[in-house]
Amino acid sequence: MIDLLLALWPLFAMIVAGYWLRLREFPSEAFWPGAERLNYFILFPALLFSSLARAPLNNPALPRLALAVLLGLGIAWLALLLVRRLRGWPAGRFGAFTQGILRFNTYLGLAAVGSLFGQEGLTLAALMLALMVPTVNVLSVWSLTAERGVSARSLLLPIIKNPLILACVGGALFNLTGIGLPGGTDRLLSLLAAASLPLGLLCVGAALKPEQLGGEIPALGWNSALRLLAMPLLAWGVAWVLALPAMESAVLVLFFALPTAPTAYVLTRQLGGDSQLMAGIITLQTLLAAGSLVAIMMLLA
């Protein structure tokens, strides 16, 4: 337990620091959107690209992880569709709830995996992200546009333009060439990647909006409970059924236990969803995850 707390508390300290810095307008209010864009389009893709460029793509874990990820997300998605049919949610509200349950904070996830499991865990996480990021993006867009009909273009365009997906695909393709990362490229990518996670955690904190928590407490509460408790239990059940090895199970459960992604707010606003509800979900889940993530990982230990 002490080792777990020592690994995770610095991550949440960085999130709190980001929130505090934004409140103090340091370095400025305009800094945070630019920092988020820098991380999203350059630093974080560098981390994913370098991880997959060096990953053993013949890793026997890949088919198992693919099946586990798709099975877990598929069960959750079917349950969401059933509840929407029973409750009659409009697409804007359904899209916010869907992202609250299916999306995950990638920055926090990779930082936690790196702290707990080192490079071996990061390699597994990168393989998982190559599967989870496009799947979750498709389901998120689909849920937000459910009442307008879904065209192939509206589903595929966010995926084609997503820098995280492009980095995963590019890293995997580069890996297959077998030439490695020559001429100091590996060092360059390592420097960029090293800046990604701390800056990402600061940006997560800066994006918190506690003022959005007063609107819909019951909806925020049950959505957070499903994301932070039910989803990791679902992942644990899938891992148990598929008899995944210990580290693969832990990484899978950890990613299913993460709070939703701050970028869900941007997508919700762009596609006309309930952005205020989405902001509240992001904030509450991130705050509660400081306790729930530690509890879940303790149960796995």
Side-chain angles (χ1 to χ4, degrees), residues 47 166 209 259:
L47 172 61
L166 293 176
K209 299 180 179 180

Side-chain angles (χ1 to χ4, degrees), residues 51-285:
S51 295
L52 281 172
R54 293 177 291 198
L57 294 184
N58 58 350
N59 191 324
L62 186 56
R64 296 194 300 264
L65 285 176
L67 180 58
V69 164
L70 296 177
L71 188 58
L73 291 177
I75 292 172
W77 173 243
L78 291 176
L80 281 164
L81 290 177
L82 177 61
V83 175
R84 180 182 186 244
R85 186 176 183 87
L86 295 173
R87 299 295 298 271
W89 289 323
R93 195 168 178 81
F94 176 56
F97 287 145
T98 295
Q99 291 185 91
I101 291 173
L102 297 186
R103 295 193 75 159
F104 52 93
N105 191 318
T106 317
Y107 300 137
L108 180 56
L110 282 181
V113 168
S115 296
L116 293 170
F117 306 113
Q119 186 56 49
E120 185 180 356
L122 284 174
T123 299
L124 288 174
L127 293 172
M128 280 184 53
L129 287 176
L131 302 165
M132 292 181 74
V133 171
T135 303
V136 169
N137 271 270
V138 167
L139 297 179
S140 297
V141 174
W142 191 350
S143 64
L144 285 163
T145 57
E147 291 171 347
R148 288 174 273 168
V150 182
S151 66
R153 184 177 183 276
S154 66
L155 282 176
L156 294 177
L157 192 60
I159 296 175
I160 295 171
K161 295 169 62 177
N162 189 305
L164 307 186
I165 297 172
L166 293 176
C168 289
V169 172
L173 292 176
F174 200 83
N175 187 311
L176 294 175
T177 66
I179 63 175
L181 295 172
T185 311
D186 57 339
R187 180 60 179 156
L188 172 62
L189 290 174
S190 295
L191 289 171
L192 292 172
S196 174
L197 294 179
L199 182 61
L201 293 172
L202 289 172
C203 289
V204 169
L208 294 179
K209 299 180 179 180
E211 66 275 9
Q212 301 286 357
L213 295 179
E216 301 191 59
I217 296 300
L220 296 178
W222 67 254
N223 189 269
S224 297
L226 288 176
R227 175 64 214 178
L228 300 176
L229 300 176
M231 287 296 284
L233 288 175
L234 171 62
W236 178 85
V238 169
W240 181 76
V241 169
L242 298 179
L244 295 185
M247 181 175 291
E248 294 173 29
S249 298
V251 173
L252 179 72
V253 172
L254 189 151
F255 267 89
F256 274 66
L258 294 168
T260 191
T263 50
Y265 177 79
V266 178
L267 182 64
T268 303
R269 189 170 55 186
Q270 287 178 343
L271 296 182
D274 191 334
S275 57
Q276 184 173 353
L277 174 63
M278 192 73 253
I281 289 173
I282 293 166
T283 298
L284 183 60
Q285 288 191 15

